[in-house]
């Protein structure tokens, strides 16, 4: 792994701290099944041992959890010198590259990566500049980050920019939709992001209803708008259908009276006796 030596490390010496994304039990079970069948292909990454002899985990929380669930005593690891920001970047990149993420998860990871990357490259963003200069620096910053990250992940820069923008959804909204189908649909996230904050909450209320939840942002907005008034053409069609039903149900005498009424109203030029 980039020239680093792989060692066998006792699992009780691996310290798993807070993660950017919680460990997923279902994914742990999948990894455990793979470990049991094929062994460990990819080592975890840890920091050098601390004063207590334990190694802080940098990347591989799911592998550690899977190994522990199998009762393993040791795990393959790479010990890497890294400061806090670099360690965070390694954790983020491992998730971005190795795991299938929803569009929402990817947005959160990329936004966090941007924050870490800018902290490691302060020359790309300098707070405190005059507004016009600051705006230009922000554009330069996201441009530099998007270019660097797109090359690393093998995607286009536009996808990186769009994903980072989606992370602007409030944390409360992200938490509520994280397990919904919308979380995996970038276009739906973009529609939600475009709404005012109050409307975002109302739409999410519709998406998370216990009974008959809305299937999309558009469907939620339609519900919130209420029934749509029929167009003039549709209204005319409905009225004609009602008249036709009444005509067909009416007897001969009622029809004759109706035709006389139409003549009186000037709606008919005249008629022969029915």
């Amino acid at each position: 792994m980039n020239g680093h030596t792989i060692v066998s490390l006792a699992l009780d010496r691996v310290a798993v701290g807070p993660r950017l994304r919680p460990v997923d039990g279902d994914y742990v079970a999948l990894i455990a099944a793979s470990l049991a069948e094929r062994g460990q292909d990819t080592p975890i990454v840890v920091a050098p041992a601390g004063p207590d002899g334990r190694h802080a985990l940098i990347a591989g929380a799911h592998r550690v959890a899977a190994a522990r669930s199998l009762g393993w005593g040791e795990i393959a690891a790479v010990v890497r010198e890294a400061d806090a920001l670099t360690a965070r970047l390694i954790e983020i990149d491992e998730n971005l590259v190795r795991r299938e993420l929803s569009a929402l998860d990817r947005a959160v990871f990329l936004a966090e990566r941007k924050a870490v990357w800018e902290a490691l490259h302060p020359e790309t963003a300098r707070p405190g500049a005059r507004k016009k200069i600051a705006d230009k620096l922000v554009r330069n910053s996201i441009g530099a980050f998007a270019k660097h990250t797109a090359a690393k992940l093998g995607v286009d820069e536009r996808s990186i920019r769009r994903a980072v923008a989606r992370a602007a959804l409030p944390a409360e909204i992200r938490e509520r939709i994280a397990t919904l189908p919308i979380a995996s649909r970038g276009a739906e996230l973009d529609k939600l992001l475009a709404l005012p904050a109050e409307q975002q909450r109302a739409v999410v209320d519709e998406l998370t209803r216990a009974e008959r939840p809305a299937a999309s942002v558009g469907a939620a907005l339609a519900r919130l708008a209420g029934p749509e008034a029929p167009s003039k053409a549709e209204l005319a069609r409905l009225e004609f259908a009602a008249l036709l039903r009444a005509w067909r149900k009416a007897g001969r005498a009622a029809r004759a009276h109706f035709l006389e009424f139409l003549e009186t109203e000037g709606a008919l030029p005249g008629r022969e006796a029915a």
Side-chain angles (χ1 to χ4, degrees), residues 6-7 54 70 100 128-129 133 137 147 169 190 202 220 223 265:
I6 299 175
V7 300
R54 303 184 76 204
L70 293 172
E100 286 298 323
I133 298 175
L137 287 170
K147 183 176 182 179
L169 283 168
D190 293 339
R223 279 187 186 176
E265 292 291 309

Side-chain angles (χ1 to χ4, degrees), residues 35-269:
L35 292 179
E37 181 180 349
R38 300 170 50 245
Q40 184 184 354
D41 294 325
T42 307
I44 64 172
V45 182
V46 297
D52 61 356
R54 303 184 76 204
H55 297 258
L57 180 70
I58 295 177
H62 285 87
R63 272 161 281 161
V64 169
R68 285 175 173 163
S69 73
L70 293 172
W72 285 14
E74 296 183 335
I75 192 168
V78 167
V79 181
R80 180 165 174 180
E81 292 276 0
D83 58 31
L85 286 175
T86 302
R88 190 69 154 172
L89 198 61
I90 294 170
E91 177 194 350
I92 293 168
D93 286 352
E94 168 129 335
N95 279 277
L96 286 171
V97 173
R98 296 190 179 280
R99 250 202 103 180
E100 286 298 323
L101 299 172
S102 69
L104 182 61
D105 287 333
R106 185 167 293 275
V108 173
F109 271 103
L110 283 170
E112 177 69 8
R113 190 182 200 281
K114 180 176 180 291
V116 173
W117 189 82
E118 288 177 346
L120 289 169
H121 301 82
E123 69 279 2
T124 63
R126 292 177 296 171
R130 286 177 299 170
K131 186 178 186 306
K132 188 172 182 180
I133 298 175
D135 289 344
K136 183 178 180 181
L137 287 170
V138 167
R139 291 194 298 273
N140 290 343
S141 174
I142 182 60
F145 167 77
K147 183 176 182 179
H148 175 271
T149 304
K152 183 175 183 64
L153 300 181
V155 298
D156 61 277
E157 293 180 35
R158 185 167 174 268
S159 296
I160 299 296
R161 293 171 185 268
R162 191 166 52 218
V164 170
R166 290 169 186 156
L169 283 168
E172 171 207 354
I173 296 293
R174 297 201 308 265
E175 183 177 350
R176 293 180 65 191
I177 66 174
T179 59
L180 300 180
I182 184 180
S184 296
R185 287 146 50 187
E188 289 291 293
L189 294 175
D190 293 339
K191 291 177 185 177
L192 187 60
L193 181 63
L195 300 175
E198 185 174 340
Q199 202 168 17
Q200 285 178 359
R201 288 190 290 272
V203 164
V204 172
D205 286 343
E206 292 297 327
L207 293 170
T208 55
R209 283 174 54 172
E211 296 183 4
R212 295 178 58 248
S216 67
V217 173
L221 288 171
R223 279 187 186 176
L224 293 170
E228 185 178 348
S231 65
K232 289 183 179 180
E234 177 65 10
L235 188 59
R237 187 189 69 78
L238 294 172
E239 290 172 341
F240 173 74
L243 286 172
L244 191 58
R245 285 195 300 272
W247 175 266
R248 288 171 174 168
K249 287 181 180 179
R252 184 180 181 84
R255 291 182 179 185
H257 285 312
F258 182 62
L259 291 173
E260 287 176 4
F261 168 76
L262 292 178
E263 285 183 8
T264 300
E265 292 291 309
L268 292 178

